[in-house]
Structure formats: structure tokens, C-alpha cells
Amino acid sequence: MSKRLTVLLLGSGGREHALAWKMAQSPLVEKVHVLPGNPGMATQDGRIVCVSGDIGKIAQELKPDLIVIGPEKPMADGVVDRLEAARFTVLGASRAAAQLESSKIFSKEFMQAEDIPTARAVTCNGYAAARAALKTWDVENKGVVIKADGLAAGKGVVVTKDRAEAEQTLHDFMVDAGHPVKAERVLLEETLHGREVSAFALCDGMRFLPFGYICDHKRVFDGNRGPNTGGMGAFSSQDWPSPAARAFISENIFAATLRGMNKRGTPFKGVLFAGLMVDGDDVNVIEFNVRLGDPETQALLPLIESDLVPLFLAAAKGDLSNCSAPHIADETTVHVVMTSAGYPSQNMKLGETIILNPITNDNTQVFFAGIAAKDGSFVNSGGRVLGVTARGATLETARKQAYARIDNISFKGAHWRRDIGGQ
Ligand code: AMP
Ligand code: GLY
């Protein structure tokens, strides 16, 4: 047998745990090194190893056969460009291609130019221009969503309820020095209505393979109440959108994006994530991301039965022409996230010991995120602490199992939604 592969994965959250878990199952793989990873990942599988340090140096030491980039920030900072210049094989978007996520304005102008369906919007340079545009905006009939340009860790978008909130948001983003979001440029956008879904495609620069559909729950409390979060849970969506809608999405969103990025001389390689609003047959792109979703990945990968490593390698090398889309089981997954008390505010209660009661004969998988090791146990060290994925024949069976597993995990102040997968 030829030498088995060394994989290096960048990131530390639940998405990266799921990626490491899945890639470590590949018979082609010797080890998955995760930089920096989290201490929970390595406890479950000896083939997963956490490493620390500078990615350039670590790559030179390990000489990985494949590097996979989890989060968007390093891609927007050019990590893929640097690693490819050093001749590594990398799955991820170049700095130029990452603008699809890192600049809402680039992304909107790109969609407009390529005729990719999206909400109508105007770009405003500076506070005076934004206020003037809002004055003439038909807020009552079209609604208004305000989007700060640039990466804002999910805080740069406000779907406003009225003109007063829109005015306040412009002031927050563009004037208030103490506000966490700062923007020179904003988009004003019409409010879309319908049901949201996250669609994924694995791309090699020219071609893509559809990678599945997942719904996530963004609000912190049951019934979609409270502030937006990174995601409180997710479930697989097997029978929706319809086959016709999926064909439309493939041609008019994924293929159109790849064509448009090629035309600009900045081909898109990696995972393209289209956040979609679907209303009957009407599909619009809310936003593009240049990576897998978190927590969508934790609901997606446990359903994929194919080995992903050959697909990731082929995409990273720029040639998916001999590959077919991964086989997705005809079952359902539900993923429930446990968070620290206070999340998503900055005022969280951290450092609590996490108790994981062992259970047997179980169809679930725990993916760790914001945890640290302390005195031989784990403590919570971030907002999203861990999540449980259950797989079942139906949404209901998967939900039951996920919540049964959650009942066996505890830490002081733990919060989770009780209605994940309930739609
Ligand atoms: P984003 O940071 O772009 O993912 O936006 C966060 C959330 O805001 C999305 O998941 C949607 O729920 C919502 N959103 C963004 N743009 C729109 C829009 N034009 N209409 C309705 N909801 C939107
Ligand atoms: N769950 C949404 C995201 O990963 O951006």
C-alpha cells in the first residue's frame, strides 16, 4: 500500500471537529493535524492531533499532502495564496475569491453583474450618502436590511423593523465609535421573505459538485426569538428545496458564480456556501460564504457516506472532472448546540466543568467547539461549547436521540434550544 496521507486542517470549532472526524475515517489518511483545534477533538480519535504555531512553519514541518482551511478570516487574509505559493495543495479560497464573503458590496455587485438572483440593493459610501439613500427608500413596502461591508462575525447585518431602527443602525455602524461594527460603506437592501436554507458546493475553480442542503437556526431562543447567533443548531433538508429548485440553484447560482469568478481571473476553489431565501419557486441569494457552515457541517458530514478526502484532494488540485457528488444517506440529521450562559453577548459565564455521562448504544456524535482542558476535565471557554448530532430515519427520531444525548451532558449555565429541527 502506498504511503498514507497527512492532512492539516486550520480552525478550532465544531465545524473543524466534524471535518477532522470525517477525514480521519478515510482509509487513505494517516493523521489529521488540526491547527489549533480544541482539546475535545483528539480525545475521540487517535488519528486527530492538535498542533499550535504559525501555519507556514507547521506546513513546512509536516509537509501535508492536503491542507483544508475551515474559517473565512484566514482566507480573506490570503493564507491560501501564501500556502499555494509555497507549493502546498490547499482546499480553500484565494484572497481575491474570498471577497465573495469578505465584502458584501463586492458580492452584491458580482451577483448583479452575473444576473444571479438576489435582493435589490444600493451601495452607500459614507454616512451622509447612506442617510440620503434611506430617506428616499420605500421602507414601508420593501423593508430595509442594512449590511456593513467587511467581515463582522455575523454582527454586520440588521433586518430592521422600521425606519427608526434603520436610522439607528446606520448611526451605530457608521458613527458610533463604541459600536463593535464599524463601516465606511454599507448596503441598503430589500427584505426577502420565505424559508432560508444553506446550499453547499465543492468547487475546483471550474467545476463543482453539489454538497447538500442544511437548515440552521440562527436566533438564540426557541421560536426564533432573541438575537442572532453563529447558529444554535441545524438539520438536514432532504426533500426540500424541490428537485427543480435544486437544478435552478446549480445552474443559476453555483455554475454562474464559477463562470463569473473565472471571467474576473479569480477562480473560486474550495467550498462555496450560498445562503438562500426560498419562496415557492423563487430563489434568491442572501449571501455567499467561502467555506462550510458552522453548525451546518456538523449536520451535513455525518450523512455523507462517501470518503471526502479524494474529493477534497481533487478539488484542491483543480480537477474534479473524474469525481462524482458524494453519496448522501437517505436519512436525516439533527444537530443541537449547547452554549455558555450569556451567549451571544460578551458577558458569558466561562470556566464551568463539563460533565459528559457515558452512554451506550447510541446514534449520536458530540462535536466540541469552545472548550479548554483544566485539571483533567473540560471547561467551557467560548460561546458555542459543543453540539450533538443524531442521525435517524426521520427528523423526529433524530431529534429525540439528539435531545436524549444532550440530557447526559451538563455544565453550569448551559443553554440550548429545545426546538431544533422543529421548523
Ligand atoms: P448574513 O450575515 O448576510 O448571513 O445575514 C444574517 C441573516 O440576516 C440572514 O441569515 C438572514 O436571516 C437575514 N437577512 C440578510 N439579508 C436579508 C434580506 N435581504 N432579507 C431578509 N433577511 C435577510
Ligand atoms: N451557520 C452560518 C454560518 O456558518 O455562517
Side-chain angles (χ1 to χ4, degrees):
M1 192 173 160
S2 58
K3 178 183 155 291
R4 290 206 288 180
L5 306 175
T6 298
V7 177
L8 175 60
L9 168 66
L10 187 62
S12 65
R15 166 183 51 208
E16 285 74 25
H17 187 177
L19 275 164
W21 168 84
K22 179 69 182 158
M23 291 193 288
Q25 288 167 30
S26 168
L28 301 173
V29 165
E30 177 76 33
K31 283 251 152 41
V32 180
H33 300 264
V34 195
L35 173 67
N38 68 56
M41 297 180 180
T43 56
Q44 293 179 344
D45 188 328
R47 289 165 298 186
I48 301 174
V49 188
C50 295
V51 291
S52 58
D54 169 72
I55 188 162
K57 281 198 197 117
I58 301 267
Q60 292 298 348
E61 277 164 28
L62 293 173
K63 305 226 177 325
D65 303 284
L66 170 67
I67 303 178
V68 177
I69 313 293
E72 64 279 11
K73 178 81 170 53
M75 294 192 259
D77 291 342
V79 75
V80 175
D81 310 61
R82 289 195 295 280
L83 291 167
E84 288 191 335
R87 305 214 157 276
F88 290 106
T89 301
V90 191
L91 185 72
S94 67
R95 180 206 288 265
Q99 288 181 94
L100 280 174
E101 175 166 0
S102 66
S103 168
K104 302 260 184 223
I105 293 174
F106 172 89
S107 174
K108 184 60 72 172
E109 289 175 352
F110 173 82
M111 288 188 264
Q112 289 166 341
E114 298 303 323
D115 234 355
I116 294 171
T118 186
R120 265 192 290 275
V122 294
T123 302
C124 309
N125 285 303
Y127 184 55
R131 276 179 57 110
L134 181 58
K135 271 216 168 74
T136 57
W137 189 274
D138 183 4
V139 178
E140 291 66 31
N141 291 308
K142 299 201 160 73
V144 63
V145 181
I146 311 237
K147 299 190 169 182
D149 201 33
L151 293 179
K155 299 190 175 68
V157 174
V158 179
V159 182
T160 67
K161 59 180 184 311
D162 54 27
R163 185 174 292 279
E165 191 184 11
E167 280 169 3
Q168 182 62 46
T169 304
L170 287 182
H171 190 269
D172 290 348
F173 284 4
M174 306 186 87
V175 179
D176 182 357
H179 195 272
V181 178
K182 292 179 188 40
E184 297 271 300
R185 304 205 301 160
V186 294
L187 279 177
L188 302 190
E189 182 169 305
E190 287 181 9
T191 306
L192 296 167
H193 300 278
R195 216 173 130 194
E196 281 186 53
V197 67
S198 303
F200 298 95
L202 179 68
C203 307
D204 70 0
M206 304 268 292
R207 291 156 289 248
F208 72 95
L209 300 175
F211 229 65
Y213 290 80
I214 302 285
C215 298
D216 82 343
H217 297 261
K218 289 207 167 70
R219 304 278 178 168
V220 70
F221 299 125
D222 286 11
N224 296 325
R225 288 175 303 111
N228 253 331
T229 70
M232 296 298 295
F235 61 98
S236 63
S237 186
Q238 300 290 69
D239 50 5
W240 179 86
S242 67
R246 289 178 187 217
F248 177 87
I249 291 161
S250 283
E251 182 49 36
N252 295 283
I253 295 172
F254 289 131
T257 301
L258 289 180
R259 277 197 298 274
M261 292 305 277
N262 261 309
K263 213 159 51 186
R264 285 163 180 72
T266 53
F268 185 90
K269 203 172 70 174
V271 178
L272 184 59
F273 164 169
L276 305 175
M277 186 73 86
V278 182
D279 187 11
D281 290 338
D282 199 26
V283 180
N284 279 286
V285 177
I286 297 171
E287 60 158 359
F288 281 125
N289 296 311
V290 299
R291 51 176 173 80
L292 280 162
D294 189 342
E296 286 92 332
T297 306
Q298 295 91 304
L300 181 62
L301 299 192
L303 265 190
I304 294 186
E305 294 192 325
S306 319
D307 185 353
L308 289 183
V309 172
L311 299 184
F312 285 177
L313 259 180
K317 288 181 175 162
D319 189 2
L320 280 169
S321 57
N322 293 319
C323 302
S324 37
H327 181 247
I328 299 181
D330 192 19
E331 286 197 335
T332 301
T333 45
V334 169
H335 178 78
V336 182
V337 174
M338 292 180 95
T339 73
S340 298
Y343 176 77
S345 76
Q346 292 304 311
N347 192 10
M348 291 187 289
K349 205 160 166 0
L350 304 179
E352 301 294 347
T353 302
I354 302 168
I355 298 157
L356 293 144
N357 292 321
I359 54 171
T360 49
N361 192 21
D362 179 29
N363 238 341
T364 65
Q365 177 66 38
V366 178
F367 293 118
F368 292 102
I371 66 159
K374 193 180 163 204
D375 304 331
S377 36
F378 293 140
V379 296
N380 62 325
S381 63
R384 291 188 287 178
V385 178
L386 57 85
V388 170
T389 301
R391 187 172 146 171
T394 65
L395 204 54
E396 212 31 57
T397 49
R399 266 169 60 84
K400 275 209 184 96
Q401 293 188 61
Y403 283 109
R405 183 77 178 97
I406 292 269
D407 285 341
N408 284 284
I409 304 175
S410 60
F411 54 93
K412 231 182 254 164
H415 166 71
W416 65 95
R417 277 181 62 161
R418 267 74 172 173
D419 62 349
I420 302 299
Q423 311 194 31

